Amino acid sequence: MNVLVIGGAGYIGSHCVRQLIAAGHTPVVLDNLVYGHKGALLPQVKFYKGNLEDKKFVGNVLDKEKIELVMHFAAYINVGESVSNPLKYYQNNVCGVVNLIETMLEHGVKKFVFSSTCATFGIPATLPLVETMPQHPINPYGQTKLDVENLLKNCARAYGLNSVAFRYFNASGAAEDGSIGEDHAPETHLVPLAIFAATGKRPALKIFGDDYKTPDGTCLRDYVHVDDLSRAHIAAFDKLDGSGMFLHYNLGTGTPNSVLEIIRGVEEVSGLKVPHEFGPRRDGDPDALYADSTKAKTELGWKIKYTDVRDIIATAWRWHSKNPNGFPKD
């Protein structure tokens, strides 16, 4: 299948591109490189630099490359920034998808895979999180993702669009061979931040809160390997052969790890100490978030390869050891 990967030069998108190739598909990447990296792209993959607001450009790519399915990984993801600058997030995360779907429908492409987030649930009343639980986001980032999910439901009914949304938990890790990995600016994810602290690339890691209702007082989160996420996306392709459907799945391991457990994992894998200090809680951080992914396992046959967080950390450590400064600057 010819697959257009929007945001295919970013963290999850670039890993998905490689998993698409491994599964026998032909990916084409469209990315504006605001946060993506040319260095994440394989030379044999066709690349188009552009923005979703340019509907004529996107339409030309769809036609030229005979695209059959579109995957979207191009959202802005910084929760704090979404609070301070919500217009930026609505413009990119919602308006960009509206433009994309309009263009897809105009060019006869009706299969869409969307990267959503567990942030659509907000603060859960019970755990683990299952797909049927109420969605009440507590920040603009989560709200924009939920808005797109609702858009996809409506487009299924109105236009026969077939789509699937994957609600990620904490995407982590890197390609097994260390060829690509996580390189955000600024970096906000715990595993790379702990690695940076261990290697002296940054000061002591700040832990937000040590008085949560968890075994060690720090937040519990569900860390899932980026390649496992990617394989779930591809497993959904066969489900999109009908007309007018919207599917949604949680993607997580179901086994939460605390902040201190991640720090100990980085120390074990690297052989280095992770200097850290405690600070006050951040507003809106729940004690724990972890997934029930039974639906994805049952309906898609999804199998998680990386069940131990230390194995996930090991892949991240391999990438950062080989690339201490991230990807080459474009």
Side-chain angles (χ1 to χ4, degrees), residues 172-173 182 189-202 205 223 257-276 308-318 320-321:
S172 306
E182 196 164 4
H189 292 172
L190 177 59
V191 172
L193 289 176
I195 290 173
F196 295 164
T199 57
K201 187 176 177 180
R202 59 160 289 143
L205 178 68
Y223 296 87
N257 293 99
S258 72
V259 175
L260 288 177
E261 285 176 324
I262 297 299
I263 288 174
R264 287 195 292 270
V266 170
E267 291 178 338
E268 181 179 329
V269 167
S270 68
L272 302 172
K273 286 293 183 182
V274 178
H276 57 276
D308 189 321
V309 75
R310 290 168 296 184
D311 294 332
I312 297 175
I313 292 170
T315 65
W317 173 250
R318 193 173 302 123
H320 288 290
S321 297

Side-chain angles (χ1 to χ4, degrees), residues 182-218:
E182 196 164 4
D183 183 5
H184 297 120
E187 185 58 72
T188 59
H189 292 172
L190 177 59
V191 172
L193 289 176
I195 290 173
F196 295 164
T199 57
K201 187 176 177 180
R202 59 160 289 143
L205 178 68
K206 189 172 184 179
I207 300 174
F208 297 101
D210 62 353
D211 59 349
Y212 287 92
K213 295 178 182 178
T214 61
D216 63 21
T218 63

